[in-house]
Amino acid sequence: MSRKKIIAGNWKMNMTPTEAVQLVETLKPLVVNEDVDVVFCVPAIDIIPVVEACKGTNIQVGAENMYFEDKGAYTGEIAPAMLVDAGVKYVIIGHSERREYFAETDETVNKKVQKAFEYGLTPIICCGESLTQREQGITIDWIRQQIKIAFLNVSAENAAKAVIAYEPIWAIGTGKVATTEQAQEVCCAIRACIAEIYDDATAAAIRIQYGGSVSASSAPELFAQADIDGGLVGGASLKPDFGKIVNYNK
Ligand code: PEP
């Protein structure tokens, strides 16, 4: 089965609304590639101006987080309906920075994944091991556990539409990219895990990204791997280089 590549930028806590619109204007002409779904995941306050600036382009807008309740007394949180109403299509769930600094757990990730599907949002579900875990040789076991919990009570129909981002924590923002072999090995194991939880058709449909210091030079080889369906890109998504990453196959 051929899966369309998906390349998403994670802007993290960068860009004021004014800067965000300027960045979209710079990137717009550079990120055209009909072989790729292009997503800009932006800070909550940038969503409305970025959706407006992306109108008429191939760019879809994503959020970097959302809460798992519908609405109510959760000061400072963003509800899924707010994202949908603002024109958001994707939402990053369980990024390692949220797990590390904001106490996200596999259980909250699972609640958010279920809630995202309830509202028709596509979750980009992050998983990844620390350097210590890699050195201990428990990477695959760890990732399998993260995946199994993330997909609890998610139907096969929804799982097939999900995006998983494999992001080794030691490669995020460090300039250390996983080797293509390391990235492919884990993405392949994730697909096998999805086949175990669901079936071969769901595993063949789900899209799995690699993330961790992806650059214009590393993207072509990474995205050519059998089980890597694109990337989640942090630092380089704020630069014109993102256009080269999106056009990795040209
Ligand atoms: C990320 O934030 O998801 C990420 C992969 O960051 P970077 O590309 O900067 O390592």
Side-chain angles (χ1 to χ4, degrees), residues 10 12 95 97 167 171-175 211-214 232-236:
N10 172 16
K12 309 196 186 196
H95 191 280
E97 287 152 16
E167 299 206 303
I172 298 179
T174 57
S213 299
V214 171
L232 183 57
V233 182

Side-chain angles (χ1 to χ4, degrees), residues 44-183:
I45 198 165
D46 295 342
I47 287 172
I48 289 175
V50 167
V51 166
E52 188 58 35
C54 289
K55 278 198 178 132
T57 75
N58 59 320
I59 304 162
Q60 302 276 15
V61 179
E64 297 178 12
N65 182 34
M66 60 163 227
Y67 200 47
F68 53 71
E69 295 290 351
D70 297 298
K71 57 155 77 173
Y74 303 102
T75 303
E77 291 295 323
I78 307 279
M82 297 172 188
L83 298 180
V84 171
D85 187 65
V88 164
K89 303 289 181 212
Y90 293 85
V91 55
I92 298 175
I93 307 273
H95 191 280
S96 63
E97 287 152 16
R98 295 219 49 93
R99 293 179 191 253
E100 183 177 353
Y101 306 128
F102 303 99
E104 294 232 0
T105 63
D106 289 337
E107 286 69 30
T108 59
V109 167
N110 174 243
K111 286 185 184 178
K112 290 181 178 190
V113 169
Q114 291 187 58
K115 197 51 88 173
F117 280 123
E118 203 181 298
Y119 283 82
L121 291 160
T122 300
I124 299 177
I125 305 163
C126 299
C127 60
E129 82 287 3
S130 65
L131 190 56
T132 310
Q133 288 168 325
R134 176 158 284 274
E135 285 168 355
Q136 287 170 342
I138 60 168
T139 297
I140 302 285
D141 288 346
W142 175 257
I143 304 281
R144 283 173 54 85
Q145 175 172 302
Q146 287 186 317
I147 294 298
K148 284 182 179 169
I149 300 174
F151 282 90
L152 279 175
N153 298 315
V154 174
S155 68
E157 193 192 341
N158 279 337
K161 292 184 267 182
V163 178
I164 296 173
Y166 165 55
E167 299 206 303
I169 298 167
W170 48 271
I172 298 179
T174 57
K176 267 192 213 165
V177 194
T179 64
T180 43
E181 293 74 23
Q182 287 171 327

